[in-house]
Protein backbone atom coordinates (compact mmCIF):
# COMPACT_ATOMS: atom_id res chain seq x y z
CA UNK A 1 0.00 0.00 0.00
CA UNK A 2 1.30 3.45 -0.92
CA UNK A 3 0.90 6.16 1.67
CA UNK A 4 1.09 9.93 1.62
CA UNK A 5 2.08 12.10 4.54
CA UNK A 6 -0.22 14.91 5.59
CA UNK A 7 0.94 17.94 7.55
CA UNK A 8 -1.43 19.04 10.31
CA UNK A 9 -0.91 22.45 11.87
CA UNK A 10 -2.53 24.56 14.61
CA UNK A 11 -3.11 21.53 16.81
CA UNK A 12 -3.84 22.10 20.48
CA UNK A 13 -0.63 21.34 22.39
CA UNK A 14 -2.54 18.70 24.37
CA UNK A 15 -3.46 16.68 21.24
CA UNK A 16 -2.21 13.09 21.29
CA UNK A 17 -1.48 10.71 18.44
CA UNK A 18 -4.70 8.84 19.21
CA UNK A 19 -6.70 12.13 19.08
CA UNK A 20 -5.34 12.83 15.60
CA UNK A 21 -5.81 9.21 14.44
CA UNK A 22 -9.44 9.27 15.62
CA UNK A 23 -10.11 12.65 13.95
CA UNK A 24 -8.85 11.21 10.64
CA UNK A 25 -10.39 7.78 11.22
CA UNK A 26 -12.55 7.84 8.08
CA UNK A 27 -9.39 8.04 5.96
CA UNK A 28 -7.63 4.93 7.30
CA UNK A 29 -4.64 6.62 8.94
CA UNK A 30 -1.59 4.35 9.05
CA UNK A 31 0.68 6.19 11.49
CA UNK A 32 1.00 9.54 13.22
CA UNK A 33 3.80 11.62 14.70
CA UNK A 34 2.73 14.53 16.92
CA UNK A 35 5.18 17.30 17.79
CA UNK A 36 3.12 18.66 20.67
CA UNK A 37 5.53 21.42 21.60
CA UNK A 38 5.09 22.84 18.08
CA UNK A 39 1.36 22.07 17.69
CA UNK A 40 1.91 20.06 14.52
CA UNK A 41 1.64 16.47 13.39
CA UNK A 42 2.50 14.31 10.42
CA UNK A 43 -0.06 11.68 9.50
CA UNK A 44 0.37 8.88 6.97
CA UNK A 45 -2.79 7.91 5.08
CA UNK A 46 -3.48 5.74 2.07
CA UNK A 47 -2.37 7.63 -1.03
CA UNK A 48 -5.80 7.26 -2.65
CA UNK A 49 -7.49 8.98 0.34
CA UNK A 50 -5.01 11.81 0.96
CA UNK A 51 -6.58 14.53 -1.22
CA UNK A 52 -10.02 13.68 0.11
CA UNK A 53 -8.79 13.94 3.73
CA UNK A 54 -7.20 17.34 3.05
CA UNK A 55 -10.39 18.60 1.39
CA UNK A 56 -12.67 17.32 4.15
CA UNK A 57 -10.65 18.15 7.25
CA UNK A 58 -8.69 21.33 6.45
CA UNK A 59 -10.26 23.92 8.76
CA UNK A 60 -12.07 21.31 10.85
CA UNK A 61 -12.03 21.64 14.61
CA UNK A 62 -9.91 19.48 16.88
CA UNK A 63 -9.70 20.29 20.57
CA UNK A 64 -11.33 23.68 20.03
CA UNK A 65 -8.90 24.81 17.31
CA UNK A 66 -9.33 25.01 13.55
CA UNK A 67 -6.60 22.78 12.18
CA UNK A 68 -4.69 23.23 8.95
CA UNK A 69 -4.33 20.10 6.84
CA UNK A 70 -2.16 19.88 3.74
CA UNK A 71 0.10 17.45 1.95
CA UNK A 72 3.49 17.44 3.65
CA UNK A 73 6.32 18.78 1.54
CA UNK A 74 9.71 17.07 1.62
CA UNK A 75 12.26 18.76 3.86
CA UNK A 76 14.72 20.96 2.05
CA UNK A 77 18.29 20.38 3.18
Amino acid sequence: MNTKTLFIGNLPYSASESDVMMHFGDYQPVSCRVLGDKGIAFLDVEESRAAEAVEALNGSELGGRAIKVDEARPRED
Side-chain angles (χ1 to χ4, degrees):
M1 164 180 50
N2 289 335
T3 61
K4 246 194 171 79
T5 302
L6 301 181
F7 168 83
I8 302 148
N10 201 37
L11 281 174
Y13 295 122
S14 61
S16 68
E17 291 180 0
S18 62
D19 293 334
V20 175
M21 294 282 277
M22 281 176 30
H23 192 72
F24 284 81
D26 291 347
Y27 302 95
Q28 285 95 39
V30 177
S31 66
C32 180
R33 297 168 303 290
V34 172
L35 303 172
D37 59 333
K38 292 184 167 56
I40 64 173
F42 294 95
L43 182 78
D44 295 326
V45 296
E46 231 180 279
E47 192 172 21
S48 62
R49 307 294 308 272
E52 191 183 342
V54 169
E55 183 73 28
L57 295 175
N58 186 35
S60 65
E61 195 173 292
L62 179 60
R65 299 184 73 170
I67 60 171
K68 177 173 174 29
V69 181
D70 208 347
E71 270 188 38
R73 289 186 290 281
R75 260 192 253 184
E76 293 178 15
D77 295 328

